[in-house]
Amino acid sequence: MSLKETITNDMKTAMKAGDSAKLLTIRMLLAAVKQREVDERIVLTDADVVAIVEKAIKQRKESIAQFTTGNRPDLVAKEEAEAVVLAAYMPAQMSEGEVDAILTAAVAAVAATGVTGNAAMGKIMAIVKPKLAGKADMTSVSGKVKTKLG
């Protein structure tokens, strides 16, 4: 079963259970998926859906930071609940050791070409992003790459 089908089934389950908070979050996610399908006239793969979920979670994290700064605990709680629902559709996260192994291999591959500085950063990220997308926090991965190049 595809990820999109899983999300649709979860929406039906939330409707039957009367879980309005989860239902609203899932409907928002499905709307984003359908919007992209209509805009690009394609059927999204699981990887495309994961990218949409990842973007939605990132938006929730940014909102949480803003609402925390604005002293709005009610909205923080709402955004955190939505992030938890969305996180259920993400693939299992890689361990730090697995991420470090991929980064080390990518740094070695780019170092062998003689590229340095920002160009090396870009080449390394181009290598690791397809391998880690959805499976690791890319912000922390970027920080680790900077440290290794540092």
Side-chain angles (χ1 to χ4, degrees):
M1 180 180 323
S2 73
L3 183 56
K4 184 178 169 188
E5 291 169 342
T6 301
I7 294 169
T8 303
N9 289 339
D10 287 352
M11 180 182 72
K12 292 174 186 174
T13 304
M15 266 189 233
K16 290 177 184 175
D19 188 350
S20 61
K22 185 174 183 179
L23 180 61
L24 286 172
T25 303
I26 293 173
R27 281 185 173 162
M28 174 277 312
L29 179 59
L30 282 174
V33 168
K34 288 179 183 178
Q35 182 66 46
R36 181 147 174 231
E37 286 181 332
V38 168
D39 287 349
E40 298 179 16
R41 293 187 172 110
I42 59 171
V43 175
L44 297 178
T45 64
D46 283 353
D48 295 329
V49 175
V50 166
I52 292 171
V53 173
E54 195 171 32
K55 181 178 177 184
I57 290 172
K58 183 178 179 185
Q59 289 172 338
R60 297 305 171 285
K61 288 179 180 179
E62 291 170 355
S63 296
I64 289 168
Q66 292 295 319
F67 292 143
T68 301
T69 303
N71 197 23
R72 294 294 309 265
D74 55 327
L75 296 176
V76 169
K78 178 183 172 283
E79 295 291 324
E80 286 174 341
E82 288 180 3
V84 168
V85 171
L86 293 170
Y89 302 112
M90 291 297 290
Q93 297 293 299
M94 293 180 115
S95 70
E96 291 294 320
E98 293 171 320
V99 171
D100 287 338
I102 290 172
L103 288 179
T104 302
V107 168
V110 171
T113 64
V115 178
T116 60
N118 287 337
M121 173 82 175
K123 290 194 180 288
I124 293 168
M125 290 304 289
I127 293 170
V128 300
K129 187 167 185 175
K131 296 176 184 175
L132 299 178
K135 298 176 187 167
D137 178 23
M138 294 308 288
T139 305
S140 68
V141 169
S142 176
K144 288 180 180 183
V145 170
K146 286 178 185 174
T147 303
K148 286 185 182 286
L149 291 175

